[in-house]
Amino acid sequence: MPKVNVYNMQGEQVEQIELNEATFGVEVSQHAAYQVVKNQLANKRQGTQSTKTRAEVRGGGRKPWRQKGTGRARQGSIRAPHWTGGGVVFAPKPRDYSYKTPKKIKRLAMKSALTSKVEENEIIVIDEFKIDSPKTKDMVNILNKLSADKKALIVTLNPETNVIKSANNLPGVQTTIVSNLNVYELLKYNSLIITKEAVRKVEEVYA
């Protein structure tokens, strides 16, 4: 059963906890993680791209010159794709890129991402965040004392306004709550800073 140290905001170790092996100690499936990340990015696409085919471009109804006798190549319309101002061949049209991934694959991907954070020592468990007022400087000090990477994901059990506001102006730092945790963000950020109570909630959800 994997064990991790728990730190306070001063970066001092206060205790050591055991993590649930069913959540943080599974065999990592890179393919499951790839499938879920690909799905998340596809679902984010707006799919609003739209260009006009030769049939939709204004003009070009008249043949620009007669078929034979001019010495020039035959042309049927000034809106053909090879003309400047002509239509686009196989023009992209608005479409829905979203699709569904099986629940079992999603769960496996989440467990794999959490396990990889433990295996690569990229998880930092903090006992709690006690920030009296939102100050970016305070958050910078906390991250430095925890030896966190510049790209860090902070996870709390519930939305904590002072934590969110303190991290808002830090490039590369993102805050989220357990219910919004996803595979893409876990893999995107190099350090996972998570509160002790959030760890227990994750184990409860994904055990």
Side-chain angles (χ1 to χ4, degrees), residues 93-122:
K93 293 296 178 185
R95 54 167 287 200
D96 181 12
Y97 287 92
S98 65
Y99 63 96
K100 289 185 177 179
T101 302
K103 285 182 182 178
K104 286 184 179 179
I105 297 293
K106 286 182 180 179
R107 287 181 69 83
L108 177 58
M110 178 62 79
K111 291 179 179 183
S112 296
L114 292 167
T115 300
S116 69
K117 287 295 177 191
V118 175
E119 289 179 351
E120 294 167 21
N121 295 318
E122 292 181 349

PDB file of all heavy atoms in Angstrom, residues 93-122:
ATOM      1  N   LYS A  93     -17.386  22.239 -42.536  1.00  0.00           N
ATOM      2  CA  LYS A  93     -18.694  22.759 -42.129  1.00  0.00           C
ATOM      3  C   LYS A  93     -18.894  22.534 -40.627  1.00  0.00           C
ATOM      4  O   LYS A  93     -18.241  21.672 -40.035  1.00  0.00           O
ATOM      5  CB  LYS A  93     -19.805  22.041 -42.910  1.00  0.00           C
ATOM      6  CG  LYS A  93     -19.805  22.359 -44.403  1.00  0.00           C
ATOM      7  CD  LYS A  93     -20.100  23.818 -44.643  1.00  0.00           C
ATOM      8  CE  LYS A  93     -20.068  24.164 -46.120  1.00  0.00           C
ATOM      9  NZ  LYS A  93     -20.236  25.616 -46.319  1.00  0.00           N
ATOM     10  N   PRO A  94     -19.783  23.306 -39.998  1.00  0.00           N
ATOM     11  CA  PRO A  94     -20.022  23.107 -38.564  1.00  0.00           C
ATOM     12  C   PRO A  94     -20.409  21.654 -38.269  1.00  0.00           C
ATOM     13  O   PRO A  94     -21.211  21.056 -38.987  1.00  0.00           O
ATOM     14  CB  PRO A  94     -21.201  24.043 -38.267  1.00  0.00           C
ATOM     15  CG  PRO A  94     -21.094  25.101 -39.299  1.00  0.00           C
ATOM     16  CD  PRO A  94     -20.585  24.419 -40.529  1.00  0.00           C
ATOM     17  N   ARG A  95     -19.781  21.098 -37.217  1.00  0.00           N
ATOM     18  CA  ARG A  95     -20.084  19.716 -36.852  1.00  0.00           C
ATOM     19  C   ARG A  95     -19.821  19.510 -35.369  1.00  0.00           C
ATOM     20  O   ARG A  95     -19.135  20.315 -34.732  1.00  0.00           O
ATOM     21  CB  ARG A  95     -19.247  18.734 -37.664  1.00  0.00           C
ATOM     22  CG  ARG A  95     -17.762  18.977 -37.601  1.00  0.00           C
ATOM     23  CD  ARG A  95     -16.940  17.837 -38.153  1.00  0.00           C
ATOM     24  NE  ARG A  95     -16.935  16.688 -37.253  1.00  0.00           N
ATOM     25  CZ  ARG A  95     -16.021  15.732 -37.297  1.00  0.00           C
ATOM     26  NH1 ARG A  95     -15.053  15.771 -38.208  1.00  0.00           N
ATOM     27  NH2 ARG A  95     -16.063  14.725 -36.455  1.00  0.00           N
ATOM     28  N   ASP A  96     -20.359  18.458 -34.827  1.00  0.00           N
ATOM     29  CA  ASP A  96     -20.194  18.116 -33.413  1.00  0.00           C
ATOM     30  C   ASP A  96     -19.090  17.068 -33.296  1.00  0.00           C
ATOM     31  O   ASP A  96     -19.205  15.973 -33.841  1.00  0.00           O
ATOM     32  CB  ASP A  96     -21.513  17.578 -32.857  1.00  0.00           C
ATOM     33  CG  ASP A  96     -21.423  17.224 -31.374  1.00  0.00           C
ATOM     34  OD1 ASP A  96     -20.414  17.602 -30.741  1.00  0.00           O
ATOM     35  OD2 ASP A  96     -22.337  16.562 -30.864  1.00  0.00           O
ATOM     36  N   TYR A  97     -17.997  17.409 -32.588  1.00  0.00           N
ATOM     37  CA  TYR A  97     -16.869  16.499 -32.446  1.00  0.00           C
ATOM     38  C   TYR A  97     -16.981  15.603 -31.209  1.00  0.00           C
ATOM     39  O   TYR A  97     -16.164  14.730 -31.006  1.00  0.00           O
ATOM     40  CB  TYR A  97     -15.560  17.302 -32.336  1.00  0.00           C
ATOM     41  CG  TYR A  97     -15.110  17.918 -33.636  1.00  0.00           C
ATOM     42  CD1 TYR A  97     -15.482  19.217 -33.979  1.00  0.00           C
ATOM     43  CD2 TYR A  97     -14.310  17.216 -34.526  1.00  0.00           C
ATOM     44  CE1 TYR A  97     -15.079  19.793 -35.165  1.00  0.00           C
ATOM     45  CE2 TYR A  97     -13.888  17.783 -35.718  1.00  0.00           C
ATOM     46  CZ  TYR A  97     -14.274  19.073 -36.036  1.00  0.00           C
ATOM     47  OH  TYR A  97     -13.863  19.636 -37.211  1.00  0.00           O
ATOM     48  N   SER A  98     -17.976  15.846 -30.374  1.00  0.00           N
ATOM     49  CA  SER A  98     -18.048  15.133 -29.095  1.00  0.00           C
ATOM     50  C   SER A  98     -18.461  13.677 -29.294  1.00  0.00           C
ATOM     51  O   SER A  98     -19.189  13.341 -30.232  1.00  0.00           O
ATOM     52  CB  SER A  98     -19.025  15.831 -28.151  1.00  0.00           C
ATOM     53  OG  SER A  98     -20.329  15.773 -28.673  1.00  0.00           O
ATOM     54  N   TYR A  99     -17.968  12.838 -28.395  1.00  0.00           N
ATOM     55  CA  TYR A  99     -18.359  11.434 -28.371  1.00  0.00           C
ATOM     56  C   TYR A  99     -18.191  10.927 -26.936  1.00  0.00           C
ATOM     57  O   TYR A  99     -17.626  11.614 -26.092  1.00  0.00           O
ATOM     58  CB  TYR A  99     -17.523  10.598 -29.344  1.00  0.00           C
ATOM     59  CG  TYR A  99     -16.044  10.539 -29.045  1.00  0.00           C
ATOM     60  CD1 TYR A  99     -15.507   9.474 -28.321  1.00  0.00           C
ATOM     61  CD2 TYR A  99     -15.184  11.540 -29.493  1.00  0.00           C
ATOM     62  CE1 TYR A  99     -14.150   9.413 -28.047  1.00  0.00           C
ATOM     63  CE2 TYR A  99     -13.824  11.483 -29.222  1.00  0.00           C
ATOM     64  CZ  TYR A  99     -13.317  10.418 -28.503  1.00  0.00           C
ATOM     65  OH  TYR A  99     -11.974  10.358 -28.228  1.00  0.00           O
ATOM     66  N   LYS A 100     -18.699   9.753 -26.652  1.00  0.00           N
ATOM     67  CA  LYS A 100     -18.676   9.231 -25.285  1.00  0.00           C
ATOM     68  C   LYS A 100     -17.611   8.144 -25.126  1.00  0.00           C
ATOM     69  O   LYS A 100     -17.366   7.369 -26.043  1.00  0.00           O
ATOM     70  CB  LYS A 100     -20.053   8.677 -24.913  1.00  0.00           C
ATOM     71  CG  LYS A 100     -21.109   9.753 -24.718  1.00  0.00           C
ATOM     72  CD  LYS A 100     -22.428   9.170 -24.230  1.00  0.00           C
ATOM     73  CE  LYS A 100     -23.449  10.282 -23.982  1.00  0.00           C
ATOM     74  NZ  LYS A 100     -24.754   9.747 -23.526  1.00  0.00           N
ATOM     75  N   THR A 101     -17.022   8.133 -23.938  1.00  0.00           N
ATOM     76  CA  THR A 101     -16.065   7.096 -23.576  1.00  0.00           C
ATOM     77  C   THR A 101     -16.700   6.215 -22.497  1.00  0.00           C
ATOM     78  O   THR A 101     -17.361   6.735 -21.596  1.00  0.00           O
ATOM     79  CB  THR A 101     -14.766   7.728 -23.015  1.00  0.00           C
ATOM     80  OG1 THR A 101     -14.230   8.613 -23.999  1.00  0.00           O
ATOM     81  CG2 THR A 101     -13.731   6.671 -22.691  1.00  0.00           C
ATOM     82  N   PRO A 102     -16.507   4.893 -22.559  1.00  0.00           N
ATOM     83  CA  PRO A 102     -17.088   4.000 -21.547  1.00  0.00           C
ATOM     84  C   PRO A 102     -16.653   4.380 -20.129  1.00  0.00           C
ATOM     85  O   PRO A 102     -15.518   4.793 -19.901  1.00  0.00           O
ATOM     86  CB  PRO A 102     -16.538   2.623 -21.938  1.00  0.00           C
ATOM     87  CG  PRO A 102     -16.263   2.726 -23.397  1.00  0.00           C
ATOM     88  CD  PRO A 102     -15.830   4.143 -23.625  1.00  0.00           C
ATOM     89  N   LYS A 103     -17.569   4.218 -19.166  1.00  0.00           N
ATOM     90  CA  LYS A 103     -17.292   4.584 -17.773  1.00  0.00           C
ATOM     91  C   LYS A 103     -16.088   3.845 -17.206  1.00  0.00           C
ATOM     92  O   LYS A 103     -15.296   4.401 -16.445  1.00  0.00           O
ATOM     93  CB  LYS A 103     -18.525   4.306 -16.904  1.00  0.00           C
ATOM     94  CG  LYS A 103     -19.648   5.311 -17.077  1.00  0.00           C
ATOM     95  CD  LYS A 103     -20.807   4.985 -16.141  1.00  0.00           C
ATOM     96  CE  LYS A 103     -21.961   5.966 -16.353  1.00  0.00           C
ATOM     97  NZ  LYS A 103     -23.111   5.636 -15.480  1.00  0.00           N
ATOM     98  N   LYS A 104     -15.959   2.567 -17.556  1.00  0.00           N
ATOM     99  CA  LYS A 104     -14.853   1.760 -17.027  1.00  0.00           C
ATOM    100  C   LYS A 104     -13.500   2.304 -17.497  1.00  0.00           C
ATOM    101  O   LYS A 104     -12.518   2.286 -16.759  1.00  0.00           O
ATOM    102  CB  LYS A 104     -15.016   0.296 -17.436  1.00  0.00           C
ATOM    103  CG  LYS A 104     -16.107  -0.433 -16.675  1.00  0.00           C
ATOM    104  CD  LYS A 104     -16.173  -1.910 -17.043  1.00  0.00           C
ATOM    105  CE  LYS A 104     -17.252  -2.624 -16.243  1.00  0.00           C
ATOM    106  NZ  LYS A 104     -17.333  -4.063 -16.609  1.00  0.00           N
ATOM    107  N   ILE A 105     -13.471   2.769 -18.736  1.00  0.00           N
ATOM    108  CA  ILE A 105     -12.230   3.346 -19.282  1.00  0.00           C
ATOM    109  C   ILE A 105     -11.908   4.644 -18.546  1.00  0.00           C
ATOM    110  O   ILE A 105     -10.759   4.916 -18.200  1.00  0.00           O
ATOM    111  CB  ILE A 105     -12.360   3.611 -20.804  1.00  0.00           C
ATOM    112  CG1 ILE A 105     -12.581   2.311 -21.576  1.00  0.00           C
ATOM    113  CG2 ILE A 105     -11.125   4.339 -21.328  1.00  0.00           C
ATOM    114  CD1 ILE A 105     -11.404   1.364 -21.564  1.00  0.00           C
ATOM    115  N   LYS A 106     -12.941   5.447 -18.266  1.00  0.00           N
ATOM    116  CA  LYS A 106     -12.747   6.707 -17.546  1.00  0.00           C
ATOM    117  C   LYS A 106     -12.185   6.466 -16.146  1.00  0.00           C
ATOM    118  O   LYS A 106     -11.257   7.148 -15.705  1.00  0.00           O
ATOM    119  CB  LYS A 106     -14.074   7.472 -17.430  1.00  0.00           C
ATOM    120  CG  LYS A 106     -14.545   8.132 -18.720  1.00  0.00           C
ATOM    121  CD  LYS A 106     -15.833   8.893 -18.456  1.00  0.00           C
ATOM    122  CE  LYS A 106     -16.345   9.580 -19.706  1.00  0.00           C
ATOM    123  NZ  LYS A 106     -17.609  10.302 -19.456  1.00  0.00           N
ATOM    124  N   ARG A 107     -12.753   5.477 -15.448  1.00  0.00           N
ATOM    125  CA  ARG A 107     -12.290   5.162 -14.097  1.00  0.00           C
ATOM    126  C   ARG A 107     -10.856   4.652 -14.114  1.00  0.00           C
ATOM    127  O   ARG A 107     -10.027   5.049 -13.284  1.00  0.00           O
ATOM    128  CB  ARG A 107     -13.211   4.124 -13.450  1.00  0.00           C
ATOM    129  CG  ARG A 107     -14.562   4.672 -13.036  1.00  0.00           C
ATOM    130  CD  ARG A 107     -15.405   3.602 -12.374  1.00  0.00           C
ATOM    131  NE  ARG A 107     -14.872   3.217 -11.068  1.00  0.00           N
ATOM    132  CZ  ARG A 107     -15.110   3.872  -9.947  1.00  0.00           C
ATOM    133  NH1 ARG A 107     -15.883   4.954  -9.946  1.00  0.00           N
ATOM    134  NH2 ARG A 107     -14.612   3.452  -8.806  1.00  0.00           N
ATOM    135  N   LEU A 108     -10.558   3.782 -15.075  1.00  0.00           N
ATOM    136  CA  LEU A 108      -9.198   3.240 -15.187  1.00  0.00           C
ATOM    137  C   LEU A 108      -8.200   4.354 -15.490  1.00  0.00           C
ATOM    138  O   LEU A 108      -7.094   4.387 -14.933  1.00  0.00           O
ATOM    139  CB  LEU A 108      -9.147   2.165 -16.283  1.00  0.00           C
ATOM    140  CG  LEU A 108      -7.776   1.560 -16.579  1.00  0.00           C
ATOM    141  CD1 LEU A 108      -7.181   0.922 -15.318  1.00  0.00           C
ATOM    142  CD2 LEU A 108      -7.878   0.535 -17.699  1.00  0.00           C
ATOM    143  N   ALA A 109      -8.599   5.284 -16.360  1.00  0.00           N
ATOM    144  CA  ALA A 109      -7.718   6.397 -16.717  1.00  0.00           C
ATOM    145  C   ALA A 109      -7.445   7.292 -15.510  1.00  0.00           C
ATOM    146  O   ALA A 109      -6.310   7.729 -15.281  1.00  0.00           O
ATOM    147  CB  ALA A 109      -8.333   7.210 -17.853  1.00  0.00           C
ATOM    148  N   MET A 110      -8.485   7.565 -14.717  1.00  0.00           N
ATOM    149  CA  MET A 110      -8.317   8.405 -13.527  1.00  0.00           C
ATOM    150  C   MET A 110      -7.400   7.729 -12.513  1.00  0.00           C
ATOM    151  O   MET A 110      -6.473   8.352 -11.970  1.00  0.00           O
ATOM    152  CB  MET A 110      -9.687   8.687 -12.905  1.00  0.00           C
ATOM    153  CG  MET A 110      -9.623   9.520 -11.638  1.00  0.00           C
ATOM    154  SD  MET A 110      -8.922  11.171 -11.888  1.00  0.00           S
ATOM    155  CE  MET A 110     -10.343  12.020 -12.582  1.00  0.00           C
ATOM    156  N   LYS A 111      -7.620   6.445 -12.271  1.00  0.00           N
ATOM    157  CA  LYS A 111      -6.771   5.701 -11.343  1.00  0.00           C
ATOM    158  C   LYS A 111      -5.330   5.641 -11.851  1.00  0.00           C
ATOM    159  O   LYS A 111      -4.377   5.736 -11.068  1.00  0.00           O
ATOM    160  CB  LYS A 111      -7.318   4.285 -11.142  1.00  0.00           C
ATOM    161  CG  LYS A 111      -8.628   4.228 -10.376  1.00  0.00           C
ATOM    162  CD  LYS A 111      -9.090   2.789 -10.245  1.00  0.00           C
ATOM    163  CE  LYS A 111     -10.394   2.685  -9.473  1.00  0.00           C
ATOM    164  NZ  LYS A 111     -10.811   1.280  -9.286  1.00  0.00           N
ATOM    165  N   SER A 112      -5.167   5.477 -13.150  1.00  0.00           N
ATOM    166  CA  SER A 112      -3.823   5.422 -13.741  1.00  0.00           C
ATOM    167  C   SER A 112      -3.098   6.752 -13.577  1.00  0.00           C
ATOM    168  O   SER A 112      -1.907   6.795 -13.258  1.00  0.00           O
ATOM    169  CB  SER A 112      -3.917   5.069 -15.235  1.00  0.00           C
ATOM    170  OG  SER A 112      -4.440   3.780 -15.422  1.00  0.00           O
ATOM    171  N   ALA A 113      -3.837   7.854 -13.778  1.00  0.00           N
ATOM    172  CA  ALA A 113      -3.239   9.183 -13.629  1.00  0.00           C
ATOM    173  C   ALA A 113      -2.831   9.437 -12.176  1.00  0.00           C
ATOM    174  O   ALA A 113      -1.740   9.961 -11.900  1.00  0.00           O
ATOM    175  CB  ALA A 113      -4.219  10.259 -14.096  1.00  0.00           C
ATOM    176  N   LEU A 114      -3.690   9.041 -11.233  1.00  0.00           N
ATOM    177  CA  LEU A 114      -3.389   9.221  -9.804  1.00  0.00           C
ATOM    178  C   LEU A 114      -2.195   8.350  -9.392  1.00  0.00           C
ATOM    179  O   LEU A 114      -1.312   8.798  -8.649  1.00  0.00           O
ATOM    180  CB  LEU A 114      -4.617   8.880  -8.961  1.00  0.00           C
ATOM    181  CG  LEU A 114      -5.811   9.839  -9.082  1.00  0.00           C
ATOM    182  CD1 LEU A 114      -7.060   9.240  -8.450  1.00  0.00           C
ATOM    183  CD2 LEU A 114      -5.488  11.185  -8.461  1.00  0.00           C
ATOM    184  N   THR A 115      -2.168   7.124  -9.886  1.00  0.00           N
ATOM    185  CA  THR A 115      -1.063   6.218  -9.566  1.00  0.00           C
ATOM    186  C   THR A 115       0.258   6.739 -10.103  1.00  0.00           C
ATOM    187  O   THR A 115       1.289   6.686  -9.424  1.00  0.00           O
ATOM    188  CB  THR A 115      -1.334   4.812 -10.143  1.00  0.00           C
ATOM    189  OG1 THR A 115      -2.542   4.288  -9.571  1.00  0.00           O
ATOM    190  CG2 THR A 115      -0.186   3.860  -9.834  1.00  0.00           C
ATOM    191  N   SER A 116       0.221   7.287 -11.322  1.00  0.00           N
ATOM    192  CA  SER A 116       1.456   7.810 -11.926  1.00  0.00           C
ATOM    193  C   SER A 116       2.002   8.989 -11.126  1.00  0.00           C
ATOM    194  O   SER A 116       3.218   9.165 -11.015  1.00  0.00           O
ATOM    195  CB  SER A 116       1.208   8.231 -13.387  1.00  0.00           C
ATOM    196  OG  SER A 116       0.382   9.380 -13.458  1.00  0.00           O
ATOM    197  N   LYS A 117       1.098   9.782 -10.540  1.00  0.00           N
ATOM    198  CA  LYS A 117       1.544  10.908  -9.705  1.00  0.00           C
ATOM    199  C   LYS A 117       2.280  10.397  -8.461  1.00  0.00           C
ATOM    200  O   LYS A 117       3.284  10.981  -8.040  1.00  0.00           O
ATOM    201  CB  LYS A 117       0.338  11.757  -9.275  1.00  0.00           C
ATOM    202  CG  LYS A 117      -0.263  12.593 -10.392  1.00  0.00           C
ATOM    203  CD  LYS A 117       0.712  13.633 -10.877  1.00  0.00           C
ATOM    204  CE  LYS A 117       0.164  14.425 -12.044  1.00  0.00           C
ATOM    205  NZ  LYS A 117       1.201  15.253 -12.680  1.00  0.00           N
ATOM    206  N   VAL A 118       1.766   9.297  -7.884  1.00  0.00           N
ATOM    207  CA  VAL A 118       2.411   8.715  -6.707  1.00  0.00           C
ATOM    208  C   VAL A 118       3.757   8.100  -7.089  1.00  0.00           C
ATOM    209  O   VAL A 118       4.775   8.313  -6.415  1.00  0.00           O
ATOM    210  CB  VAL A 118       1.498   7.648  -6.051  1.00  0.00           C
ATOM    211  CG1 VAL A 118       2.228   6.955  -4.896  1.00  0.00           C
ATOM    212  CG2 VAL A 118       0.219   8.288  -5.546  1.00  0.00           C
ATOM    213  N   GLU A 119       3.768   7.347  -8.184  1.00  0.00           N
ATOM    214  CA  GLU A 119       4.992   6.657  -8.611  1.00  0.00           C
ATOM    215  C   GLU A 119       6.109   7.634  -8.965  1.00  0.00           C
ATOM    216  O   GLU A 119       7.293   7.341  -8.766  1.00  0.00           O
ATOM    217  CB  GLU A 119       4.683   5.747  -9.802  1.00  0.00           C
ATOM    218  CG  GLU A 119       3.862   4.518  -9.437  1.00  0.00           C
ATOM    219  CD  GLU A 119       3.546   3.647 -10.641  1.00  0.00           C
ATOM    220  OE1 GLU A 119       3.815   4.088 -11.783  1.00  0.00           O
ATOM    221  OE2 GLU A 119       3.024   2.535 -10.429  1.00  0.00           O
ATOM    222  N   GLU A 120       5.739   8.777  -9.514  1.00  0.00           N
ATOM    223  CA  GLU A 120       6.742   9.755  -9.950  1.00  0.00           C
ATOM    224  C   GLU A 120       6.990  10.844  -8.903  1.00  0.00           C
ATOM    225  O   GLU A 120       7.618  11.865  -9.194  1.00  0.00           O
ATOM    226  CB  GLU A 120       6.305  10.377 -11.276  1.00  0.00           C
ATOM    227  CG  GLU A 120       6.284   9.374 -12.426  1.00  0.00           C
ATOM    228  CD  GLU A 120       5.563   9.890 -13.651  1.00  0.00           C
ATOM    229  OE1 GLU A 120       5.429  11.125 -13.778  1.00  0.00           O
ATOM    230  OE2 GLU A 120       5.116   9.070 -14.473  1.00  0.00           O
ATOM    231  N   ASN A 121       6.467  10.621  -7.694  1.00  0.00           N
ATOM    232  CA  ASN A 121       6.645  11.578  -6.584  1.00  0.00           C
ATOM    233  C   ASN A 121       6.188  12.991  -6.952  1.00  0.00           C
ATOM    234  O   ASN A 121       6.830  13.979  -6.606  1.00  0.00           O
ATOM    235  CB  ASN A 121       8.108  11.606  -6.126  1.00  0.00           C
ATOM    236  CG  ASN A 121       8.544  10.280  -5.530  1.00  0.00           C
ATOM    237  OD1 ASN A 121       7.795   9.663  -4.776  1.00  0.00           O
ATOM    238  ND2 ASN A 121       9.735   9.831  -5.883  1.00  0.00           N
ATOM    239  N   GLU A 122       5.076  13.065  -7.663  1.00  0.00           N
ATOM    240  CA  GLU A 122       4.541  14.364  -8.084  1.00  0.00           C
ATOM    241  C   GLU A 122       3.301  14.751  -7.283  1.00  0.00           C
ATOM    242  O   GLU A 122       2.631  15.720  -7.606  1.00  0.00           O
ATOM    243  CB  GLU A 122       4.216  14.337  -9.585  1.00  0.00           C
ATOM    244  CG  GLU A 122       5.458  14.242 -10.468  1.00  0.00           C
ATOM    245  CD  GLU A 122       5.117  14.253 -11.947  1.00  0.00           C
ATOM    246  OE1 GLU A 122       3.925  14.123 -12.289  1.00  0.00           O
ATOM    247  OE2 GLU A 122       6.054  14.385 -12.762  1.00  0.00           O
TER     248      GLU A 122
END
